[in-house]
């Protein structure tokens, strides 16, 4: 008897709650026989939970007038009902990076593209997606740190050096390359303490001419983000830590990044 292979798409569908019921028995049997896949599904479910916790509140926010106007045909004459339009616009906000609500709590955007994706929000999404991963939290592990740094530096077009945070109880576990917002790829370095608490440093290319270096801070539920721009690079440090605790780490990160390389 030949057993049908279980695809990655089916596992994702299970985690997302959209797996057809007729496939459920086969998937459940597969997970019982493959605990590693079961752990992956559990991790994806946790990622979904964290993303919902971060961004579900956006669904109750007022739709920005400019987006409402853009989303409605000029001659629609009220054809769209407001609840449906709000839901669609909220999804557009999440995909495009948005302009309201959680975005910097009223601060100016840190990028200047036509559809800005906030440095802080992008970093928070990447943090929420990858930190719960059990087997694959990073793309390249710390055992290949030299290769990781060389690779990410080459892709971002500048010399990178992940800060040493062991005096603060965090050690580097690796990093990954992520898609950027039109200005090229971005890098994410991930750290972990002895209790398994993780924090991430997100590094993105910024448009030339922006020299702002002041720290900014935002928080959504238990996720805190310190972010700043230094020359052509934007940095965002994210963790589920109180503001004061993460601020101390951000100070150490900034001090090391300012040292001549």
């Amino acid at each position: 008897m030949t057993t049908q292979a279980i695809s990655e798409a089916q596992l994702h569908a299970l985690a997302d709650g959209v797996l057809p019921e007729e496939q459920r028995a086969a998937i459940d049997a597969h997970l019982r026989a493959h605990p590693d896949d079961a752990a992956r599904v559990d991790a994806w479910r946790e990622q979904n939970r964290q993303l919902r916790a971060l961004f579900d509140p956006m669904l109750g926010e007022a739709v920005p007038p400019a987006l409402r106007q853009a989303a409605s045909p000029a001659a629609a004459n009220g054809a769209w009902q407001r609840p449906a339009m709000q839901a669609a616009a909220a999804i557009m906000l999440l995909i495009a990076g948005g302009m309201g609500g959680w975005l910097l709590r009223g601060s100016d955007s840190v990028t200047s593209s036509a559809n800005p994706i906030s440095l802080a929000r992008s970093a928070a999404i990447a943090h929420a997606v990858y930190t719960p991963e059990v087997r694959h939290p990073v793309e390249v592990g710390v055992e290949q740190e030299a290769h990781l740094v060389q690779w990410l530096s080459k892709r971002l077009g500048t010399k990178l050096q992940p800060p040493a945070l062991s005096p603060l109880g965090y050690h580097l576990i690796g990093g990954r390359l992520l898609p950027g917002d039109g200005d090229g790829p971005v890098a994410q370095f991930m750290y972990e303490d002895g209790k398994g608490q993780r924090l991430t440093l997100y590094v993105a290319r910024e448009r030339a001419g922006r020299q702002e270096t002041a720290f900014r801070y935002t928080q959504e539920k238990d996720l805190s983000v310190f972010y700043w721009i230094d020359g052509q690079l934007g940095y965002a440090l994210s963790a589920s830590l109180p503001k004061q605790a993460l601020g101390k780490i951000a100070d150490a990160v900034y001090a090391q990044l300012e040292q001549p390389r």
Side-chain angles (χ1 to χ4, degrees):
M1 178 178 178
T2 302
T3 302
Q4 184 177 0
I6 302 300
S7 70
E8 187 93 351
Q10 288 175 298
L11 296 180
H12 277 289
L14 176 64
D16 294 339
V18 295
L19 182 74
E21 189 60 34
E22 60 270 20
Q23 299 180 22
R24 186 61 185 259
I27 301 296
D28 287 344
H30 174 84
L31 295 182
R32 287 192 295 270
H34 299 82
D36 287 348
D37 281 348
R40 293 168 66 200
V41 171
D42 288 342
W44 292 335
R45 284 171 170 159
E46 176 61 17
Q47 290 171 7
N48 290 340
R49 186 195 67 78
Q50 292 193 31
L51 288 171
R52 284 194 297 270
L54 279 172
F55 298 112
D56 276 1
M58 291 175 58
L59 295 176
E61 295 175 357
V63 180
L67 183 58
R68 188 165 58 243
Q69 181 178 0
S72 301
N77 194 24
W80 283 19
Q81 297 298 316
R82 180 176 177 81
M85 184 170 66
Q86 280 189 317
I91 294 171
M92 290 170 64
L93 281 170
L94 177 58
I95 295 174
M99 292 179 289
W102 186 82
L103 178 60
L104 313 188
R105 298 292 187 188
S107 299
D108 294 335
S109 172
V110 296
T111 63
S112 57
S113 57
N115 293 304
I117 295 181
S118 130
L119 177 69
R121 171 173 285 179
S122 298
I125 292 174
H127 179 92
V129 168
Y130 292 111
T131 54
E133 281 283 354
V134 177
R135 295 185 61 194
H136 305 289
V138 296
E139 193 170 1
V140 179
V142 69
E143 65 277 2
Q144 301 181 63
E145 182 176 354
H147 164 66
L148 172 68
V149 172
Q150 182 182 23
W151 172 50
L152 295 179
S153 297
K154 181 178 180 180
R155 293 304 305 272
L156 267 69
T158 188
K159 185 178 180 181
L160 301 177
Q161 185 59 51
L165 301 180
S166 54
L168 297 172
Y170 287 85
H171 63 276
L172 182 71
I173 63 173
R176 65 173 63 244
L177 189 73
L178 298 171
D181 179 32
D183 291 325
V186 301
Q188 182 193 62
F189 295 104
M190 189 177 296
Y191 296 79
E192 188 175 76
D193 69 5
K195 298 180 180 179
Q197 170 74 37
R198 289 173 174 173
L199 62 83
T200 56
L201 177 64
Y202 185 93
V203 186
R205 294 283 298 187
E206 292 297 324
R207 297 188 186 278
R210 301 185 67 87
Q211 299 297 320
E212 178 184 355
T213 58
F215 278 160
R216 293 186 183 182
Y217 173 80
T218 190
Q219 181 179 13
E220 182 64 30
K221 297 189 182 299
D222 65 342
L223 182 60
S224 298
V225 183
F226 273 97
Y227 59 101
W228 66 98
I229 295 174
D230 190 357
Q232 294 185 355
L233 293 177
Y235 301 92
L237 188 69
S238 307
S240 295
L241 291 173
K243 180 179 180 179
Q244 185 175 2
L246 187 61
K248 181 179 179 181
I249 300 172
D251 286 337
V253 170
Y254 181 80
Q256 291 187 50
L257 293 173
E258 284 297 287
Q259 294 177 0
R261 295 193 287 269

